[in-house]
Amino acid sequence: MTSATPITDEDLVAYLDGALLPARREAVDAALAHDPAMREQLAALRIDVPAIRTAFDAHAATAPLDRLQRVLAEAPEPRRSRMPGSWLAIAASLVIGVALGQAPSYLFPREHAPDWRTAVADYQVLYTTATLASLHQSTAALNGNAAEVSASLGRPISFAVLASGGLDFKRAQILTFNGQPLAQYAYLDAAGAPIAFCATRTGEPDRPVQTTTLRGLTEAHWSRDGYGFMVIGGHNPDEIRKLADELQRSA
Amino acid sequence: MSDHAGVRNGLSELLPRLWRFCHVLTGDRSTADDLAQSACLRALERAGQFQPGTRLDQWVFRIAQSVWFNQRRAEKVRRGFGIVPAEEAGLATGAADAEANIYLAQVLSSVMGLPEAQRVTVLLVYVEGFSYQEAADMLDIPIGTVMSRLAAARGRLSCLRDGGRSAGVAKSA
């Protein structure tokens, strides 16, 4: 059966890489022994693989290690531990709290950001005017871009709404957090400060707009229909609040 | 040690390879710097999802790839297909064995000149040493596509034919 299957370039590559199964390898050996054209075909696929490895190993040594090591060193620890032990501790104290008729204080956190908002904030602090200033998409392209992202998010947020806040709407992109799509709509304000409007499915109950500070940035967030929303960035807390209020009414 | 600290330590050792992967993916040095940085941050954010005992390099490369695809899809930017100048690669800088360095710079430029899909596959299989199946899993493609990309890449890298070395270097030197 193997002898009936024509030998392809892919077979020859696997032959050169020592990745063929023994039966197929024998078939290639047999063909090479009898067929000069096959030998030429093989010769045309031979390359200097060790040199590629050496060249790229030398290239890896030119990586900007100082900068990347600094990023690692300065990246914040996640705010909430994912260790199962902590959940057990929380569950246990919850039981005790309920048994004693007390409301545990952490059920009504003063300002405990869910992880997704902290992650967005960590990302947003890296944005600068130049990150977005060079993006010049046509209205039609932005419209399509926003529609694609909304479709991935599973909640329609119309372009008209996104573009109505008086800011320069630059880009929509889909990210992911804990396996859930996270939509990010990026803006520049009149002063050139980057602002992001983000949304993801959280399953949380509806909540009105609240304003806070995350990673040094003004942030406003709310929940509706099982989705969490946030607006973050800029230099003017009033602007963030105003944009959040507008989006909350229509998005 | 927490998940976060474990992933952070592992990432620290992986940085040269991660950056190299990003460079091959993006075809552009400064874009690679930014992508490697974003991939590090994303990996740290998701440290709790990393399964200890599995390979951190594969996990982080997949994260870098997903960040890059999302970014590119959104920006509709088509980068790549760029040739890395030899001087930028830092290989042709008057070392003792100048002739070998010229050849290696030529190798690097040739591979970086391949279409993105081919050069990434070449990196994973021939430089990183992943099996066809591992590369297929990391790139979310069938194993047959890995093989056809390698065949296409080999076909294009005619300057790296066995025996091409002396001819190529003789001309350059």
Side-chain angles (χ1 to χ4, degrees), chain A residues 10 17 44-45 47-48 53 56-59 62 67 69 72 75 78 82 123 126 171 176 178, chain B residues 4 8 12 20 23 29 34 37 41-42 44-46 49 74-75 91 103 126 132 148 154 160-161:
Chain A
E10 284 76 11
D17 290 342
L45 291 170
I47 54 169
D48 191 352
R53 206 170 297 133
F56 274 87
D57 282 346
H59 189 50
T62 70
R67 170 178 165 184
Q69 290 288 10
L72 284 185
R82 296 172 200 275
Y123 215 66
L126 302 176
R171 175 176 74 188
T176 178
N178 281 350
Chain B
H4 194 267
R8 190 196 298 260
S12 176
R20 177 172 68 184
H23 191 188
R29 200 180 174 100
D34 293 341
Q37 177 170 335
L41 291 172
R42 195 70 65 84
L44 289 174
E45 286 162 16
R46 295 189 194 169
Q49 295 170 25
E75 292 178 9
L91 292 168
Y103 177 62
Y126 293 144
Y132 291 173
S148 58
R154 280 172 173 270
L160 304 187
R161 290 266 179 281

Side-chain angles (χ1 to χ4, degrees), chain A residues 74-85:
Chain A
E74 291 171 4
E77 284 277 345
R79 224 173 239 197
R80 192 175 62 197
S81 165
R82 296 172 200 275
M83 300 290 281

